[in-house]
Amino acid sequence: MRYVSTRGQAPAVGFVDAVLAGLAPDGGLYVPETWPTFTQDEIAAFRGKPYAHVAAEVLSRFAGDELPRDAVDAMCEEAYATFAHAAVVPLVQISPDAFVAELFHGPSLAFKDVAMQLLARLYDHVLAGQNRVQTILCATSGDTGGAAVEAFRGRAHVRVCALFPEGRISEVQRRFMTTASEANVRCVAVQGTFDDCQAIVKAAFQDQSLRQAVDLTGVNSINFARIVAQSVYYFTTAVAVGAPDRPVTYCVPSGNFGDAFAGYVARQMGLPIARIVVATNANDILARAFQDGRYARGDVTATQSPAMDIQSASNFERLYFEAVRRESVETARAFTAFAEAGHIDIPPQAQAYMAELFTGVAVSEEETSRTMLATLNETGELIDPHTAVGVAALRRAGDLQGPVIVLSTAHAAKFPDAVAAATAVTPDLPRWTQSLADRPERFDRLPADADAIKACVRAFAET
Ligand SMILES: *Cc1c(COP(=O)(O)O)cnc(C)c1O
């Protein structure tokens, strides 16, 4: 299986190189040259199988002969053994034909764990083979940093340096990063915003002298291995409610569009998905794109679902590439123009292609709070604000072809203030994470200054 860039100016590479590179050298995103597929019988055979088994089937289709099958099996076994639920991604019913898929039973209580736990094993396996140590540099608005630290702590071939905006993430989110005691983890509280952190990471990646000294890598949501890992739970949850004999609809709380795009991937592989409702908060760039055919950046507004406070959804480039029939020249033109002018007018044919599968719905803060309360009253389930955006979109999207599965992307206890404000109930952390509050924290405090942080990364990589 070869991987090509959406912008067409980079050579095709194998799976391992696509994963280690993250972004393609021409600024595009890697996608497989052709989509691997499962037959309907193969999909039906996933019913009742362990999650790790389905994950290994999906991953090996994308890795081809680059990873030995026994290594793939071992990685998937290990990655999903870290989850606190035997089903890994269990379903909870919330109405006669609607279910919530709980993606938050991993070590940092957010759906990022599903991909990150697998990515950590994949990196360690590949880098050990190349006798190489890489340093992951990531900026986090909350969940990615915790998931990366939990996944990569103590690994022999990877160091993690996570930058977070001081005072702008919840205490639980911070503690998932800062209480790791392993020497290969370094957390930095940056005196600035998430955007400052992202700009510093970008500057570090563009600094050739730093890159000669430090083998830097990223694990953000454009990494294709994350998309592969996320397509797995579409298969496991769909077959649990009757696929492939009946098509399934998904509601996906969305920010960078990685999670929803993984649903598109599952469908390309043969899973009968009737519709994917892309649910956003007030940061509605995706909802507007699917409604109006205009992908246009807006100002970022802070909401109670901060992991989705994003106004430029990096994975949208992959869908655009597909929708313009893989015209890389057109994709490069559109996204270069977007970087400069902040908008793309989606060609009518591409818009029609997207509309066959995707519907966009934006949900207000008030509706999000109301949905947390209504869900508690109707089902006894406490849901977090991100999940509430998905459930609200389900209520609003009208006649969906059932069954409908809402992806629940975080545990309610990760956002206790918003949940308590909406429902008057304070969610408890699961028992196995309660020691989080007692463990000592360890992090550096630095100004939002690229040079200071680059020096810190350099020193860390020499340890
Ligand atoms: C990252 C995240 C999302 C958004 O997922 P995308 O793949 O970026 O669309 C939603 N909810 C939570 C809790 C997250 O951490």
Side-chain angles (χ1 to χ4, degrees):
M1 178 73 64
R2 307 291 290 170
Y3 289 78
V4 296
S5 165
T6 51
R7 301 199 187 178
Q9 297 298 306
V13 296
F15 179 74
V16 166
D17 287 336
V19 170
L20 293 185
L23 205 64
D26 62 357
L29 278 65
Y30 284 115
V31 288
E33 217 158 40
T34 56
W35 295 106
T37 54
F38 291 115
T39 64
Q40 299 301 291
D41 285 345
E42 285 171 325
I43 292 171
F46 290 157
R47 217 174 276 160
K49 288 287 191 318
Y51 189 92
H53 169 87
V54 180
E57 289 292 325
V58 172
L59 176 57
S60 55
R61 292 290 159 117
F62 284 101
D65 54 12
E66 283 196 38
L67 296 175
R69 182 55 198 248
D70 56 348
V72 169
D73 288 344
M75 279 176 215
C76 293
E77 281 291 337
E78 257 189 53
Y80 297 112
T82 66
F83 279 59
H85 197 295
V88 181
V89 179
L91 287 171
V92 171
Q93 193 161 7
I94 55 165
S95 76
D97 217 10
F99 302 81
V100 165
E102 295 183 342
L103 302 175
F104 56 70
H105 292 277
S108 78
L109 305 181
F111 100 96
K112 304 283 193 295
D113 290 325
V114 178
M116 212 66 89
Q117 286 294 327
L118 187 58
L119 207 59
R121 273 89 192 166
L122 192 56
Y123 266 68
D124 234 18
H125 173 87
V126 169
L127 294 174
Q130 299 183 358
N131 206 6
R132 196 168 155 193
V133 177
Q134 284 198 306
T135 300
I136 291 171
L137 180 60
C138 73
T140 179
S141 59
D143 287 337
T144 303
V149 168
E150 283 293 340
F152 287 95
R153 60 197 288 179
R155 307 233 145 242
H157 294 272
V158 187
R159 298 187 189 89
V160 193
C161 179
L163 311 181
F164 63 90
E166 182 163 27
R168 289 170 198 253
I169 63 175
S170 78
E171 181 180 347
V172 179
Q173 287 180 317
R174 189 187 69 237
R175 284 184 169 273
F176 272 117
M177 287 185 264
T178 57
T179 58
S181 57
E182 288 81 356
N184 75 327
V185 174
R186 185 87 155 234
C187 302
V188 181
V190 176
Q191 288 151 359
T193 62
F194 172 60
D195 286 341
D196 293 332
C197 297
Q198 267 195 313
I200 290 166
V201 168
K202 204 168 167 193
F205 273 93
Q206 283 166 353
D207 183 329
Q208 288 314 317
S209 106
L210 178 69
R211 299 202 67 168
Q212 264 162 22
V214 184
D215 192 350
L216 279 186
T217 185
V219 288
N220 56 15
S221 69
I222 52 130
N223 193 304
F224 193 72
R226 281 183 61 173
I227 305 286
V228 172
Q230 289 169 14
S231 68
V232 173
Y233 46 74
Y234 283 90
F235 286 100
T236 60
T237 57
V239 297
V241 298
D245 307 324
R246 44 178 202 163
V248 180
T249 290
Y250 284 87
C251 284
V252 186
S254 295
N256 259 324
F257 196 58
D259 207 2
F261 185 75
Y264 172 87
V265 171
R267 190 182 191 233
Q268 292 305 104
M269 295 180 82
L271 187 67
I273 297 179
R275 184 148 293 281
I276 296 176
V277 178
V278 176
T280 73
N281 61 25
N283 299 289
D284 59 350
I285 178 167
L286 285 167
R288 284 184 283 115
F290 292 123
Q291 283 160 13
D292 315 336
R294 192 156 200 267
Y295 180 71
R297 195 155 41 213
D299 291 328
V300 176
T301 312
T303 71
Q304 54 188 323
S305 48
M308 312 198 303
D309 292 349
I310 291 169
Q311 282 283 20
S312 138
S314 40
N315 277 289
F316 189 70
E317 180 166 337
R318 288 192 163 109
L319 179 65
Y320 191 90
F321 177 68
E322 289 281 291
V324 297
R325 298 163 191 256
R326 298 197 153 215
E327 284 287 348
S328 55
V329 174
E330 163 54 20
T331 307
R333 183 207 61 75
F335 284 85
T336 309
F338 178 74
E340 284 158 16
H343 62 84
I344 296 172
D345 288 306
I346 304 168
Q349 273 189 349
Q351 205 188 327
Y353 180 87
M354 293 177 187
E356 274 174 32
L357 182 61
F358 292 102
T359 302
V361 174
V363 175
S364 70
E365 289 291 273
E366 201 270 319
E367 212 176 341
T368 304
S369 301
R370 230 181 326 118
T371 304
M372 283 188 263
L373 181 60
T375 305
L376 179 64
N377 287 339
E378 290 167 19
T379 69
E381 297 291 329
L382 267 188
I383 55 172
D384 98 292
H386 302 80
T387 308
V389 168
V391 174
L394 156 69
R395 289 163 169 251
R396 189 119 63 73
D399 53 338
L400 295 170
Q401 202 179 343
V404 182
I405 296 175
V406 180
L407 299 185
S408 175
T409 50
H411 193 290
K414 233 175 157 178
F415 300 93
D417 298 343
V419 174
T423 65
V425 178
T426 302
D428 290 327
L429 279 170
R431 208 165 342 123
W432 50 274
T433 56
Q434 277 170 5
S435 71
L436 206 59
D438 309 323
R439 296 207 291 262
E441 290 190 83
R442 186 173 61 96
F443 61 92
D444 298 321
R445 245 191 213 102
L446 288 174
D449 172 62
D451 288 335
I453 288 165
K454 283 192 266 182
C456 168
V457 171
R458 212 183 258 261
F460 174 46
E462 281 162 9
T463 55

